[in-house]
Amino acid sequence: MIVCFDIGGTAIKGAIATSAQDIRPLPRQPTPLHDFSAFVATMRAVIDQAPEQPSCVALSIAGIIDPDSRRAVVANVPCIHGRLLQDDLETALGLPVKIANDADSFVLAEAGIGAGRGHRVVFGVILGTGVGGGLVIDGKLINSEGGFAGEWGHGPVAATQAGNPPADLPRFRCGCGLDGCIDAVCSARGMEKLHAHLHGKMLTSEEIIADWQRQDPDAARTIDVYVDILAGPLALVANVTGATIMPVGGGLSNSLELLEAIDHAVRARILRKFARPLVVKAECQIEPGLIGAAILGLGG
């Protein structure tokens, strides 16, 4: 038995887990943002609800463990940002601690009990507020010691011409400090910036997708360009990793039609040919962070 956590900037979700199929959530607690002692006390209060001493504690965090310094980079929870988080929590809690970021937890969940079941190589894709991902091979997370593997949304690789016929595109500035990242143009906000560039009007990503499904020509043009920009880099990820399934989470994954368009475009660009979908909707829609943390803590 372990205790697993999904740590967010608003709430800490905790659960008792004996397997990936047996995860019992506990009441959410507000996240102490600026007081590490209070943060530990909140975790301890959840752990104390376990019926016995857990074998370890596993966390999903919206951040990164730097593989060189071992320090946590978690901007939305300042009291753990910059800490040697694993060491500090193990000292404070007296238990072994395992940590993964939220995208890695998502792909662990999908590989374990979601759309990636039965696949050796699973690349999980996040298309939402940001563009991210994670990689699991033979049930094991590549980022077992932290790190940036799977962050395909960053790097100056976005096309400056895309769509049919090709549209000229700027190299949108990304929050990471680079220009031309996939995150900057293929996240939900990126789709909105793309639509404004092409048509001179601001709509939400939900409105753009809804208009596209109603066959609005402006929205159809935006989605055509969007899919063309996204498909090449994602196809390269498939070629490099050998992934045989790519479950997608995040807000944009709610449109099955968009995922189908992305899937067709990616499969047309990869070396290995699949007669079935490669890019699919994630199956773990409820608490993937807790599920992934549980799998991590139980030996994933």
Side-chain angles (χ1 to χ4, degrees), residues 2-86:
I2 70 163
V3 175
C4 52
F5 291 92
D6 185 357
I7 308 295
T10 301
I12 293 176
K13 307 172 190 176
I16 297 166
T18 58
S19 72
Q21 292 78 24
D22 182 14
I23 300 173
R24 286 160 278 173
L26 297 168
R28 298 184 182 194
Q29 304 294 327
T31 303
L33 295 178
H34 302 285
D35 185 338
F36 185 67
S37 295
F39 183 90
V40 171
T42 300
M43 292 186 65
R44 170 56 69 187
V46 175
I47 294 167
D48 287 345
Q49 297 180 59
E52 60 189 66
Q53 180 85 339
S55 59
C56 82
V57 173
L59 283 69
S60 171
I61 60 171
I64 294 286
I65 301 299
D66 187 284
D68 300 313
S69 70
R70 308 295 305 141
R71 295 188 181 276
V73 181
V74 190
N76 65 340
V77 186
C79 72
I80 64 175
H81 179 74
R83 283 186 171 270
L84 295 169
L85 187 59
Q86 182 177 9

Side-chain angles (χ1 to χ4, degrees), residues 82-246:
R83 283 186 171 270
L84 295 169
L85 187 59
Q86 182 177 9
D87 293 346
D88 289 353
L89 288 178
E90 287 183 342
T91 298
L93 298 173
L95 290 166
V97 172
K98 298 182 180 182
I99 302 172
N101 82 356
D102 48 1
D104 287 339
S105 297
F106 160 76
V107 70
L108 273 173
E110 287 300 313
I113 65 171
R117 293 186 311 277
H119 291 263
R120 282 195 60 241
V121 184
V122 181
F123 189 84
V125 177
I126 303 296
L127 293 177
T129 303
V131 175
L135 179 63
V136 165
I137 299 178
D138 292 328
K140 301 296 182 181
L141 187 64
I142 289 297
N143 284 335
S144 60
E145 300 300 321
F148 300 92
E151 292 292 347
W152 73 288
H154 296 282
V157 299
T160 54
Q161 283 194 328
N164 184 22
D168 291 325
L169 303 170
R171 297 177 64 77
F172 291 108
R173 188 74 171 173
C174 184
C176 75
L178 296 173
D179 294 328
C181 290
I182 295 299
D183 186 275
V185 68
C186 291
S187 64
R189 302 294 81 78
M191 180 187 287
E192 293 161 7
K193 287 187 290 185
L194 180 63
H195 191 77
H197 170 74
L198 293 171
H199 309 296
K201 54 186 177 183
M202 286 298 303
L203 296 177
T204 67
S205 58
E206 294 87 353
E207 290 170 333
I208 295 165
I209 292 170
D211 286 351
W212 170 59
Q213 291 169 337
R214 290 193 291 267
Q215 300 184 335
D216 173 78
D218 285 353
R221 176 63 165 157
T222 297
I223 297 299
D224 173 57
V225 173
Y226 173 92
V227 170
D228 196 22
I229 296 168
L230 184 146
L234 192 53
L236 182 60
V237 170
N239 285 343
V240 170
T241 63
T244 57
I245 197 75
M246 291 180 155

